[in-house]
Amino acid sequence: MRLLDTHDLSPLIRRWSKHSELSAQDRDAVFALPFIKRSFGKDAYIIREGQEATECTVLLKGFAFRQKLLRDGGRQIISFHIPSEFVDLQNGVLGVADHNVQAVNRCEVAMVPREALTDLMADRPAIRLAVWLDTLIDASIFREWVVNVGRRDSRTRIAHLLCELSLRLKKTGHGDDRYDFPMTQEQLADATGLTAVHTNRTLQSLRRDGLIELSNGILRVLDWQGLTESGDFDELYLHQQI
Amino acid sequence: MRLLDTHDLSPLIRRWSKHSELSAQDRDAVFALPFIKRSFGKDAYIIREGQEATECTVLLKGFAFRQKLLRDGGRQIISFHIPSEFVDLQNGVLGVADHNVQAVNRCEVAMVPREALTDLMADRPAIRLAVWLDTLIDASIFREWVVNVGRRDSRTRIAHLLCELSLRLKKTGHGDDRYDFPMTQEQLADATGLTAVHTNRTLQSLRRDGLIELSNGILRVLDWQGLTESGDFDELYLHQQI
DNA sequence: CGTTAATTTGAGACCATTCAATTTCGGTGG
DNA sequence: CCACCGAAATTGAATGGTCTCAAATTAACG
């Protein structure tokens, strides 16, 4: 397939190729998927809870996060997403969105009709496996997040989150100990179950200890081993053998 | 199929039938699955983190939970399981167990070789869909747990957990506002990210307000509406239309 | 029944929150 | 290019929810 690197969905193929064996036909079938490209500004809602789910959404550019709102107005962020990831794979089967998806910064997505995706999975075992793996790794990350917000103190939580995100960014070729990191401290707080104020103080403590540098939307990991130790981080749960 | 109700795996078929259309052939194919039956005592490890995953485990009798241990010795429970549920479906594809599974009380399981299950899914689309749904609902519950431990106060957390468990027990025919409830307060604490002491005081507060009665391993829900309000509980995330 | 596990109670300490004010950053228009 | 503005980050001090530690009571089980 000649347009491999220029096709909108090629980041998806590139990521899948790391854990699944895809044939040329598999790739062509993915490139033949119908989709609509859309763009969202900072904080815009990409998916809303309760909304009927008719598409699956791949993030092409920018960062996004999934969240749930509480009765009292609080917000809990459930996961962050980087380009090439589906932000709502479950919507392909469950009929209704059970949570919201919001853009961190300006981002571009491809929306694929759910039937097109399920048909593709029915026809192509390799793609079925790739999607299946995506779903299972997603779930594994949720489990780790339960542990993170449930049983770790603030410093460990923040460090763990930074470990996860920087490792995922590194593995998808988005940097090497220096990453675009547009998340605000309020978003990090909502992801770790802390307040923005305490998140701020906690980040300062990590900076003071020379583990990270974080400012102007750039994260530098200065001491990976120190950060993983501070974050009680074991990458097994990401299931990225490479 | 004559042995429908007496086959060891019939609880699985019964539960799947609530969300998926299974033909007689699908049922027979499930009943033809090879498996080993095993029994575990209270607190016994059914699966251990890091262990190579060669089987998928269906809970037939008793309660179980999944958990992760922290470096500092802490434990976070990630989910509870009731009979007819898989406790480690992800192991069918991910090669390694990324968390532990423990028995709450004496329980019986059926262990199905992973290839037998994946072959079945490859052959039978209806079963594939049923397993897919199980996985997605599992993930949805993890997401809600992130919210629960991340952003709710202790009373709301405990109430929410009790809502979820009693609703799941009700929907699978394990009672009607009165349930076997063998979990210890320490386990409820590890599931909600609280200490056992504080869990105890929180349960007392729910009892004092006439919402529940919980003693001797029996949970009675006295005021369902009051409990759901106290627990900020909306059952959408369970995706049980029935 | 004796023994251990589980639950319950009390008091003090602490981590994270709340609230409010200040400073810095990032983008925009003159 | 600089002045301006709102958003984001930072700081301080007081409050509070949950934890810790330790002891007492009750329930479960062989």
Side-chain angles (χ1 to χ4, degrees):
Chain A
M1 180 63 183
R2 37 214 173 286
L3 296 175
L4 179 87
D5 288 330
T6 58
H7 191 286
D8 281 319
L9 295 181
S10 58
L12 185 59
I13 293 290
R14 217 171 299 127
R15 190 171 54 76
W16 276 349
S17 300
K18 298 211 171 172
H19 58 54
S20 303
E21 294 286 340
L22 297 184
S23 67
Q25 292 93 309
D26 290 326
R27 263 186 277 127
D28 291 349
V30 170
F31 288 157
L33 278 172
F35 64 87
I36 305 168
K37 252 173 99 170
R38 290 190 61 192
S39 181
F40 293 88
K42 177 184 286 201
D43 288 331
Y45 275 75
I46 300 173
I47 312 277
R48 272 183 195 279
E49 180 171 351
Q51 176 183 317
E52 200 196 347
T54 57
E55 286 130 347
C56 289
T57 307
V58 187
L59 189 55
L60 303 178
K61 274 189 197 143
F63 290 69
F65 59 89
R66 313 204 228 176
Q67 54 94 333
K68 289 195 178 197
L69 298 175
L70 285 85
R71 197 182 32 191
D72 68 7
R75 177 177 74 169
Q76 176 66 44
I77 291 179
I78 284 160
S79 65
F80 284 109
H81 290 283
I82 65 181
S84 82
E85 297 180 346
F86 277 97
V87 299
D88 61 352
L89 206 40
Q90 73 285 340
N91 286 348
V93 178
L94 304 173
V96 198
D98 58 31
H99 58 276
N100 304 295
V101 181
Q102 260 184 297
V104 172
N105 50 6
R106 171 148 295 280
C107 61
E108 266 179 26
V109 305
M111 294 185 151
V112 183
R114 50 186 282 185
E115 299 77 24
L117 192 64
T118 50
D119 289 353
L120 185 65
M121 290 170 62
D123 290 349
R124 310 215 132 265
I127 290 173
R128 189 158 75 227
L129 182 60
V131 172
W132 187 236
L133 270 171
D134 268 7
T135 306
L136 293 175
I137 293 172
D138 238 40
S140 176
I141 294 176
F142 295 142
R143 288 193 291 269
E144 186 65 29
W145 279 45
V146 173
V147 176
N148 205 40
V149 295
R151 276 280 179 256
R152 297 196 177 110
D153 65 23
S154 60
R155 193 167 198 273
T156 317
R157 277 187 222 187
I158 296 283
H160 191 280
L161 178 60
L162 296 180
C163 284
E164 176 184 313
L165 289 174
S166 51
L167 191 57
R168 284 166 60 197
L169 286 167
K170 176 181 270 188
K171 299 248 173 177
T172 47
H174 287 268
D176 188 21
D177 293 340
R178 184 186 177 283
Y179 310 96
D180 278 333
F181 201 85
M183 279 69 88
T184 65
Q185 293 184 3
E186 190 180 358
Q187 287 162 353
L188 298 180
D190 284 342
T192 48
L194 302 168
T195 58
V197 170
H198 199 63
T199 297
N200 179 283
R201 296 194 231 264
T202 305
L203 285 170
Q204 288 180 51
S205 138
L206 294 175
R207 275 192 284 245
R208 207 176 307 122
D209 294 349
L211 302 178
I212 60 162
E213 206 176 290
L214 174 55
S215 58
N216 311 326
I218 303 286
L219 170 68
R220 257 179 255 264
V221 177
L222 304 177
D223 177 359
W224 174 251
Q225 203 199 328
L227 193 62
T228 57
E229 279 166 15
S230 293
D232 189 24
F233 184 78
D234 175 351
E235 63 173 290
L236 172 66
Y237 77 98
L238 292 174
H239 295 278
Q240 323 246 5
Q241 304 76 329
I242 329 95
Chain B
M1 180 64 184
R2 37 214 172 284
L3 296 175
L4 179 87
D5 288 331
T6 58
H7 191 285
D8 281 320
L9 296 181
S10 57
L12 185 58
I13 293 291
R14 217 172 299 128
R15 190 171 55 76
W16 277 350
S17 299
K18 297 210 172 174
H19 57 55
S20 304
E21 294 285 338
L22 297 184
S23 66
Q25 293 94 308
D26 290 327
R27 261 187 278 127
D28 291 349
V30 171
F31 288 157
L33 278 172
F35 64 88
I36 305 168
K37 252 173 100 169
R38 291 190 60 191
S39 181
F40 293 89
K42 176 184 286 201
D43 288 331
Y45 275 74
I46 300 172
I47 313 277
R48 272 184 196 279
E49 181 172 351
Q51 177 183 318
E52 199 195 348
T54 56
E55 286 130 347
C56 288
T57 307
V58 187
L59 188 55
L60 302 178
K61 274 190 196 142
F63 290 70
F65 59 90
R66 312 204 229 175
Q67 53 95 334
K68 288 194 179 196
L69 298 174
L70 285 86
R71 199 182 30 191
D72 69 6
R75 176 175 76 169
Q76 176 66 45
I77 290 178
I78 284 160
S79 66
F80 284 110
H81 290 283
I82 65 181
S84 82
E85 297 180 347
F86 278 96
V87 299
D88 61 354
L89 206 41
Q90 74 286 339
N91 286 349
V93 178
L94 305 174
V96 198
D98 58 31
H99 58 276
N100 305 293
V101 181
Q102 259 183 298
V104 171
N105 51 6
R106 171 149 295 281
C107 63
E108 267 181 24
V109 305
M111 293 183 153
V112 183
R114 50 185 282 185
E115 299 76 24
L117 192 64
T118 49
D119 289 353
L120 184 66
M121 289 170 61
D123 291 348
R124 313 212 66 87
I127 289 174
R128 191 158 74 225
L129 182 60
V131 171
W132 187 238
L133 270 171
D134 268 8
T135 306
L136 292 175
I137 293 172
D138 238 40
S140 176
I141 295 176
F142 295 141
R143 288 193 291 270
E144 186 64 29
W145 279 45
V146 173
V147 177
N148 204 40
V149 295
R151 275 280 180 255
R152 296 197 177 109
D153 65 22
S154 60
R155 194 166 197 272
T156 317
R157 277 187 221 188
I158 296 281
H160 192 280
L161 178 59
L162 296 179
C163 285
E164 175 183 314
L165 289 174
S166 51
L167 191 57
R168 283 166 60 196
L169 286 166
K170 177 182 270 190
K171 300 248 173 176
T172 47
H174 288 268
D176 188 20
D177 293 340
R178 185 188 176 282
Y179 311 96
D180 278 334
F181 201 85
M183 278 70 88
T184 65
Q185 293 184 5
E186 190 179 359
Q187 287 162 353
L188 298 181
D190 284 341
T192 49
L194 303 169
T195 56
V197 170
H198 199 63
T199 298
N200 179 282
R201 296 194 230 264
T202 305
L203 284 170
Q204 289 179 49
S205 138
L206 294 174
R207 276 192 284 247
R208 206 176 308 122
D209 294 348
L211 301 179
I212 59 162
E213 207 177 291
L214 175 55
S215 58
N216 311 326
I218 302 286
L219 170 67
R220 257 178 256 265
V221 177
L222 304 176
D223 178 359
W224 174 250
Q225 203 199 326
L227 192 62
T228 57
E229 280 166 15
S230 292
D232 189 24
F233 184 77
D234 176 350
E235 63 172 289
L236 173 67
Y237 77 97
L238 291 173
H239 294 279
Q240 324 246 6
Q241 305 75 330
I242 327 94

